[in-house]
Every structure is written in structure tokens, then in C-alpha cells.
Amino acid sequence: MKVVIVGGVAGGASAAARLRRLDEKAEIVMLERGPYISFANCGLPYYIGGEIKKKSALTLQTPQSFKSRFNVDVRVNSEVTKIDRAAPAVTVREAGGRTYAETYDKLLIATGAAPLVPNLPGLDGGSVYTLRNIPDTL
């Protein structure tokens, strides 16, 4: 069985690790749009505030460590742009612009959320920020 997981932060990484424990033979591909997987969201304000000094303390796993520990094919900077349920396959766009189709037997979508900034006067002046991930932090 081949499982494709869209999203590699909390939900996607946890699901991949759990799936591996349930099925040692499954082929698992985790696709993450951003450059980081399985990072410590709760630590982001502490990094900004200087209590956490090293950026590396925020990253719990890397694609390489996740592969080594759980045998999951992790692809960062890989955005799923289309789901073709009839194929079944997802279309993936890499950061460099290359696109390809990735087939699956099972698909799990764990994309998280995007911050909502209300349309209020004064919010567009460059002094309001959202904090959801490591790039936002940096």
C-alpha cells in the first residue's frame, strides 16, 4: 500500500510516524510545501524573544532524520496543486518549478491552516505580523 500525506508539520508527521508503526511495509510519501517538517510551533515566540537561542532547537526532525527513523520519503518545498481522485494521483510542484504526478492508494491531507488577518484600518502598515511557521519567525 502506498500512502501520500500532504503536509509535513504536526498532523502529517504524526500520521506518518503512526502509520509506520502500524504497517512496516507501507510506502509512505510525505509532501510539505515549506522547507521544514515537524517543528516546534510553541517554541517560535521563545525564539523571537531570545529565550531559545538556536534555530536548530525548533526543528524536531529533518527529512533525513525522518527517513532514517521511520522510512518515510519526505519531500520539502513540494506543493500539491491538484488531486485527481480518478487516477488516483496528486500533482506536485517543486520549488524549482518542475511538476510531476505522484500516485497513491490512500491520501491523507494534513495541510493545517493559514492565519486570517482581518481587514481593519492600520493593519496594512507593516507593523502587524502572523506567526505560524519557521519562515514567519525568521
Side-chain angles (χ1 to χ4, degrees), residues 4 6 9 20 40 53 65 67-68 74 87 98 108 118 126:
V4 170
V6 181
V9 187
R20 174 54 66 222
K53 304 286 185 205
S65 68
K67 173 70 173 172
S68 174
V74 178
R98 181 178 88 95
L108 184 128

Side-chain angles (χ1 to χ4, degrees), residues 26-85:
E27 180 182 357
I28 305 169
V29 178
M30 187 166 64
L31 302 166
E32 168 55 39
R33 177 175 60 180
Y36 301 96
I37 62 160
S38 188
F39 56 86
N41 300 63
C42 297
L44 301 179
Y46 295 99
Y47 181 78
I48 290 172
E51 290 191 41
I52 295 176
K53 304 286 185 205
K54 293 182 176 182
K55 182 179 83 169
S56 61
L58 299 174
T59 52
L60 306 174
Q61 294 283 339
T62 65
Q64 297 79 17
S65 68
F66 213 83
K67 173 70 173 172
S68 174
R69 185 170 179 192
F70 298 109
N71 191 26
V72 172
D73 179 1
V74 178
R75 302 176 196 168
V76 294
N77 300 311
S78 297
E79 180 178 17
V80 172
T81 59
K82 181 180 177 183
I83 299 171
D84 180 350
R85 293 176 60 196

Side-chain angles (χ1 to χ4, degrees), residues 17 22-23 35 43 62 72 105-106 113:
L22 294 172
D23 186 346
T62 65
V72 172
D105 297 310
K106 301 282 184 181

